[in-house]
Amino acid sequence: MTETALPTADPAAPPPPGGGTPKRSYAKLAADESREDFSLRYAPHSYRRWSPTMVASTALGGIAYLADFAIGASIVFTYGFTSGLASILCAATIIFLTGIPIARACAKYGLDMDLITRGAGFGYFGSTLTSLIYASFTFIFFALEGSIMAQAMHEVAGLPLPVGYLLTTLIVIPIVFRGMGALAKVQAWTQPVWLIGLVLPFVILAFHSPGLFGDFTHFGGTEGAGSGFSWLGFGLGTGVALSLIAQIGEQADYLRFMPAKTEQNRKRWNLAVLAAGPGWVVIGAAKQLGGALLAFVALEAVGKTHALEPIAPQVEALKPWLGSVALPAAALFVVVSQIKINVTNAYSGSLSWSNFFSRVTHKHPGRVWYIFLNLAIALTLMEMNMFAALNKLLGFYSNVGIAWIAAVAADLVINKRVGWSPKYIEFKRAYLYAVNPAGFGSMVIASTVSILAFFGLFGEYAEAFSTFIAAGLALVLCPLIAWATKGKYYLARPNPVNGPDADVEDITATHTCSVCETAYELPDIADCPVQSGPICSLCCSLDADCGDACTKRPTGEPVLMPLPTVRVS
């Protein structure tokens, strides 16, 4: 990837065109795009130099986490094999289907999940709530993955768990601080070790104790659920597995760097987006079932508590071939896996917090400062032993997460196709209402009703199927509200030059922001009556004094268009 830079606060920097000084300059860390990675804005085509295959392989490196092992084992131990299997497969199907349109939109428009959400039915400030939902996903799962790594360090080196929690938090900071380039290298370098560690236990099990595969299918769990199918167990188990639905946001943080789709790369592009977007859950579901199998095999030897911790089942599975080396080998696999996912959790969390605070405070100190906020919350959760309350925590979270993702998917699949929503994703403050009731309203209603159901207000079956209630309401309400409002709250004013069918040459035309005096590609630029010229999306977000004057003009009245055009060479 090439590196581009935002305005710099360096006093030695050359003056801007015309001899003046920019109206806004950014702090050194916020101005360094090798670290910032366009955290609050559109990823320009000039920056998207990776091949589709490279983007996909890097994105899939972020799903190395072992929380899938713990989640799958927890579901099967609680609800038995049959109900657990049905739960995992059902959740994977829902996650896959909702992830397809989101992944394609992120890759096509070069936008992360927050910016997609803005233009897919939530509005400029409506998506601040989803930024918090996404941020909570990253620190909850960072804490879960960090707990698993600390357990491995405790087993292999006797390191006290509180110290292990701190170490697992500190170890990712230098990598995440350096941005996407460093993340890509880490994912590539560690991939061979991870793949060997992932497959080897199952190979050993197949040769050493093949009969255990059949025994596993008759496992009735440890809570007396039995090996048969239970509707209550199916619903509750699906709710736990669906807590992973917001993972598509982390995949989007990679997919936004996908190059433009052309006739030459169309097949590779489609396949890469499918694999790196919703395709993660295919591997994820297999890991959940595999984790449950290994936990079942280790149950008698280590007991229930340790069987739910991925390190112990790994050791038991490796012992027949590796003997005394099984423990350090398993620990290496766990540590590598957790570093691969937690650099992604920390990176995505910093993006989400940055998006949230830029809109609330109109300040942007830089993405890297929010790494420390995200990790501090995750460390607190680890020290509180959140691993012990895994099922309840994830079951509750999934009600909110699925309401959000289902509403966005409904807008992309239904509203945009029937014309209730603009055909393209408009993410800039200058063209958006603060809140769009179509997406935001449907998410709030769906998550509220489902949370009440989750806490038993509507009976035990509604409690078990609360996530289905959240998904169903969001999928129905988003198009219904968009139809009832005739799509009025999607665009506060039309964008005459940034429509849905612009070709790559039009998109890569650059315009100079009248505030920071730096050139940006067309999708990142709006026309501003207060500045009497074009303004980039970030400067627009940070303006606290304009009073949203551009969106208060009569509908259909252009402000300053057309903008002057400069082609990228």
Side-chain angles (χ1 to χ4, degrees), residues 143-216:
L144 179 55
E145 308 295 349
S147 297
I148 293 171
M149 193 194 303
Q151 291 160 4
M153 292 177 175
H154 176 72
E155 290 294 324
V156 75
L159 195 68
L161 286 176
V163 178
Y165 297 150
L166 178 61
L167 184 58
T168 61
T169 302
L170 295 177
I171 198 171
V172 304
I173 293 177
I175 303 169
V176 181
F177 197 85
R178 295 184 60 190
M180 185 60 70
L183 266 66
K185 291 177 182 177
V186 168
Q187 301 296 5
W189 293 343
T190 56
Q191 202 76 333
V193 175
W194 177 73
L195 286 172
I196 293 171
L198 179 68
V199 174
L200 185 58
F202 301 100
V203 173
I204 294 175
L205 189 61
F207 278 94
H208 188 262
S209 305
L212 290 175
F213 288 89
D215 295 341
F216 178 54

Side-chain angles (χ1 to χ4, degrees), residues 41-57:
R41 58 169 83 244
Y42 154 86
H45 282 277
S46 60
Y47 197 71
R48 290 188 256 165
R49 300 292 178 87
W50 287 349
S51 69
T53 304
M54 183 61 179
V55 174
S57 62

Side-chain angles (χ1 to χ4, degrees), residues 274-294:
L274 188 67
W280 77 265
V281 79
V282 176
I283 301 173
K287 285 164 59 189
Q288 288 176 45
L289 292 171
L293 171 62
L294 294 182

Side-chain angles (χ1 to χ4, degrees), residues 193-519:
V193 175
W194 177 73
L195 286 172
I196 293 171
L198 179 68
V199 174
L200 185 58
F202 301 100
V203 173
I204 294 175
L205 189 61
F207 278 94
H208 188 262
S209 305
L212 290 175
F213 288 89
D215 295 341
F216 178 54
T217 62
H218 300 290
F219 181 48
T222 59
E223 310 297 323
S227 60
F229 180 79
S230 163
W231 282 107
L232 288 175
F234 167 70
L236 290 166
T238 303
V240 175
L242 279 173
S243 63
L244 291 165
I245 196 167
Q247 176 65 32
I248 189 63
E250 294 196 346
Q251 302 307 111
D253 289 336
Y254 292 99
L255 285 170
R256 64 197 176 108
F257 297 115
M258 191 71 71
K261 182 167 70 170
T262 64
E263 282 301 316
Q264 290 73 32
N265 72 3
R266 181 172 60 86
K267 290 183 179 179
R268 286 184 293 114
W269 192 95
N270 286 331
L271 182 61
V273 170
L274 188 67
W280 77 265
V281 79
V282 176
I283 301 173
K287 285 164 59 189
Q288 288 176 45
L289 292 171
L293 171 62
L294 294 182
F296 164 74
V297 172
L299 180 60
E300 185 175 345
V302 303
K304 176 187 172 183
T305 300
H306 289 300
L308 292 174
E309 300 171 355
I311 178 65
Q314 288 284 326
V315 173
E316 293 300 314
L318 295 176
K319 275 182 179 179
W321 283 10
L322 301 187
S324 61
V325 184
L327 178 56
L332 175 63
F333 170 65
V334 171
V335 170
V336 167
S337 298
Q338 303 316 87
I339 289 176
K340 284 170 73 67
I341 181 54
N342 266 354
V343 293
T344 300
N345 281 329
Y347 177 79
S348 295
S350 70
L351 297 179
S352 189
W353 285 118
S354 190
N355 273 303
F356 174 77
F357 281 109
S358 70
R359 275 170 285 175
V360 174
T361 67
H362 297 285
K363 297 183 185 300
H364 179 50
R367 172 192 67 82
V368 295
W369 294 109
Y370 295 111
I371 297 171
F372 301 101
L373 171 63
N374 208 53
L375 296 187
I377 299 173
L379 179 59
T380 302
L381 289 176
M382 282 188 276
E383 299 291 356
M384 293 170 61
N385 193 25
M386 63 152 285
F387 196 85
L390 182 64
N391 272 11
K392 275 293 182 184
L393 178 65
L394 299 184
F396 171 79
Y397 177 83
S398 64
N399 287 279
V400 182
I402 196 170
W404 164 36
I405 298 298
V408 173
D411 180 84
L412 295 173
V413 173
I414 301 173
N415 296 359
K416 291 192 181 305
R417 291 194 177 187
V418 299
W420 298 329
S421 173
K423 296 294 184 184
Y424 70 107
I425 304 293
E426 182 56 77
F427 67 94
K428 296 182 288 295
R429 174 190 180 187
Y431 300 104
L432 296 174
Y433 283 100
V435 176
N436 184 343
F440 182 79
S442 61
M443 183 197 73
V444 170
I445 294 171
S447 58
T448 300
V449 173
S450 66
I451 288 172
L452 292 176
F454 176 77
F455 284 108
L457 189 64
F458 307 127
E460 63 176 355
Y461 277 92
E463 177 182 352
F465 287 88
S466 62
T467 50
F468 289 85
I469 294 172
L473 283 176
L475 287 170
V476 171
L477 288 175
C478 184
L480 186 62
I481 295 173
W483 167 79
T485 58
K486 297 181 173 58
K488 173 184 176 181
Y489 295 99
Y490 279 90
L491 292 178
R493 64 181 174 111
N495 184 348
V497 300
N498 200 9
D501 300 317
D503 60 30
V504 173
E505 286 191 0
D506 291 333
I507 289 173
T508 55
T510 61
H511 309 273
T512 300
C513 173
S514 58
V515 177
C516 64
E517 297 188 342
T518 300

